[in-house]
Amino acid sequence: MHIVAKLGTSILTAGSDRLDLEAMSRVVGQVVRLRAQGHQVAIVSSGALAAGRHRLGRHLRPGYEPGRQAFASVGQSHLMQSWDELFDWNDVVVAQVLLTRRDLSDRLGYLNARNTLRDLLDAGTVPIINENDAVALDELLAARIGENDSLSAYVANLIDADLLVMLTDVDGLYDRDPHGDPDAQVIPRIDRIDRAIEMAAGGARGPGTGGMITKLTAARIAMHGGSDVIITNGREPNALINAAIHRQGGTYFPAAESRLESRKRWILGSMTSSGAITVDSGAATALRRQGRSLLPAGISSVSGAFDRGESVEVRDPLGERLAVGISNYNSTELARIRGLRSDRIGDELGYSYGDEAIHRDNLVLL
Ligand code: GLU
């Protein structure tokens, strides 16, 4: 199973004004156990801002207040150092991935982020993802995501996660405001996020940037991308294990559609280029009947101009539309490597974006 664990500031600091290594190590222990059971886990970690405020704060001259970006930059390195050390005790290698909205909204950024995260998971690392706060400052240009709830949903979509677990400091989504009403109950399962559910979520806010409303928005994005979502209390021992293995605790939101359907919609819905790739009959059969990736060796010609990361049409030798897919190479590169075995890509281009012209996960047969 592919799991994304999203950790809010309140969990990482255990409610204090600095990173709490004990709380972090409890998370590490659970991630290590999940990995031992064969699951791949990526972490979306907040806490940079809090760690930076704590670290840099005492070195500042009185009255001087730097921007949020400065705090986040100081804190991010401290945050990663802490994760790195804690995972290293367990012989697990971590990798830092910093993303902005821009990286996810353009095709190429999306493809690069997806390929990198996949590579990192396949290589056995735990990717630790945060927003690149140092550069993602412009909310007007919509360059910033702003909170890690949404970021975690985008990451779940990027890696085709089976499950997104949002670990927060409340037990889940309540049917009423738990501060105002002692009889408020956690809703165990929500199949559809409607107006009544949004009303129930209104108001509740924690020390991080996100409240329940941003969590619901994120849950909706992830559910429609084909991931199950659980919002649960990260302060409970084993909350992550209970959510991932037993689907217990918190509020559970089952995926609203299959990952395949959602991917197909995404690939077909954004056909941007007028380019086309024609394949030989062997490749046509491999794509059609065996669900393979398209390799440069099977390409007989390339027409039109397209960039790496754009959707292109794939045609069979008779010119019939066979599939649409997202190309790993631009049209000029493909024209140079067509017909070649994949181990020759590097020799021909001087670099390689991988063996496939179009990975099968990024291909929709028509
Ligand atoms: N990126 C911010 C941080 O690392 C967190 C944003 C959030 O808590 O949602 O501090």
Side-chain angles (χ1 to χ4, degrees), residues 4-280:
V4 176
K6 188 263 166 186
L7 297 151
T9 301
S10 60
I11 295 303
L12 297 172
T13 59
S16 73
D17 64 347
R18 60 188 301 178
L19 294 177
D20 185 291
L21 291 185
E22 223 172 287
M24 290 174 77
S25 75
R26 281 196 291 273
V27 174
V28 170
Q30 295 181 72
V31 172
V32 168
R33 271 170 66 193
L34 288 173
R35 286 165 51 91
Q37 295 186 24
H39 304 298
Q40 292 186 328
V41 185
I43 292 180
V44 173
S45 172
S46 304
L49 202 54
R53 262 187 211 292
H54 184 265
R55 270 231 148 159
L56 184 56
R58 58 203 139 119
H59 297 287
L60 296 173
R61 57 178 190 271
Y64 175 70
E65 175 81 357
R68 172 195 153 93
Q69 287 78 26
F71 283 126
S73 302
V74 170
Q76 180 64 29
S77 70
H78 184 44
L79 179 67
M80 274 318 290
Q81 187 198 359
S82 306
W83 282 125
D84 199 330
E85 261 170 37
L86 292 169
F87 273 106
D88 191 46
W89 280 101
N90 294 278
D91 227 5
V92 173
V93 176
V94 299
Q96 170 179 265
V97 180
L98 298 175
L99 296 171
T100 60
R101 182 181 286 282
R102 211 177 280 137
D103 301 323
L104 300 174
S105 53
D106 89 32
R107 264 317 165 98
L108 194 53
Y110 190 93
L111 188 70
N112 288 342
R114 185 177 162 83
N115 288 348
T116 304
L117 283 171
R118 253 211 208 130
D119 254 11
L120 288 170
L121 288 168
D122 288 345
T125 73
V126 173
I128 300 189
I129 302 134
N130 197 356
E131 181 155 22
N132 194 350
D133 290 311
V135 299
L137 75 174
D138 207 333
E139 254 155 319
L140 285 179
L141 288 177
R144 199 172 144 212
I145 299 166
E147 33 73 31
N148 279 358
D149 293 326
S150 304
L151 178 63
S152 71
Y154 298 139
V155 169
N157 286 356
L158 270 177
I159 67 166
D160 291 330
D162 301 87
L163 176 68
L164 163 63
V165 184
M166 293 197 232
L167 295 157
T168 179
D169 58 354
V170 291
D171 288 342
L173 182 71
Y174 284 86
D175 53 0
R176 282 160 282 178
D177 181 1
H179 303 295
D181 191 336
D183 292 333
Q185 302 273 335
V186 170
I187 309 174
R189 176 181 171 125
I190 295 175
D191 287 275
R192 227 174 69 81
I193 298 172
D194 55 20
R195 188 85 196 106
I197 298 291
E198 281 171 358
M199 294 290 286
R205 288 195 76 83
T209 323
M212 248 327 147
I213 289 287
T214 59
K215 288 191 175 49
L216 276 191
T217 307
R220 188 185 281 124
I221 295 170
M223 288 164 84
H224 285 280
S227 307
D228 292 335
V229 179
I230 295 181
I231 300 177
T232 190
N233 193 335
R235 292 190 177 157
E236 294 292 328
N238 291 326
L240 179 58
I241 301 268
N242 288 339
I245 308 290
H246 310 296
R247 299 286 152 115
Q248 261 170 18
T251 303
Y252 171 55
F253 305 77
E257 61 181 295
S258 82
R259 280 195 292 287
L260 188 66
E261 284 311 311
S262 128
R263 254 204 105 54
K264 277 189 179 168
R265 197 158 39 78
W266 186 73
I267 293 168
L268 292 174
S270 53
M271 268 213 55
T272 41
S273 89
S274 52
I277 295 171
T278 303
V279 301
D280 62 26

